[in-house]
Amino acid sequence: MLYLLLPEGQLVLGYVRPLPARSATVGQDKARLDQWAADCRLRLGEVFIDVTDWPPLKRYGFRRLQGLTHRLRPVGVVVPSTRHVADDRDDLARALGYFRAEGCLLLVLDAP
């Protein structure tokens, strides 16, 4: 599990989606994000959820996440794994580029 030295109370946003051939549910993934943020003493804001396997920039929840990231400037977006963001490396690179441009870290709990 990932632990960072970030100032206490910093805002992070979350993002999850169901992944094929995986037993964990969206609710379990969200609970992991909640626990991780509490352990790191970070403030977890909204956790965005999508239920589609479309590319990230076409998903409603992901687009809402981007908008809130732009407005609130959280220190990071936390996800259970990179696959929650994208299955395709090019889509993941585009998403990472967006977060980097906003000054936001992508915080990944597990390897893909």
Side-chain angles (χ1 to χ4, degrees), residues 30-71:
K30 183 182 177 308
R32 285 186 60 217
L33 300 184
D34 289 332
Q35 185 61 55
W36 176 84
D39 290 348
C40 292
R41 293 190 167 105
L42 297 172
R43 188 169 39 100
L44 180 62
E46 188 164 352
V47 175
F48 294 87
I49 299 170
D50 277 312
V51 292
T52 177
D53 60 356
W54 296 347
L57 301 179
K58 293 185 177 185
R59 294 184 214 135
Y60 178 73
F62 194 84
R63 289 193 327 265
R64 287 186 52 231
L65 169 65
Q66 286 181 300
L68 203 55
T69 298
H70 178 74
R71 285 193 305 280

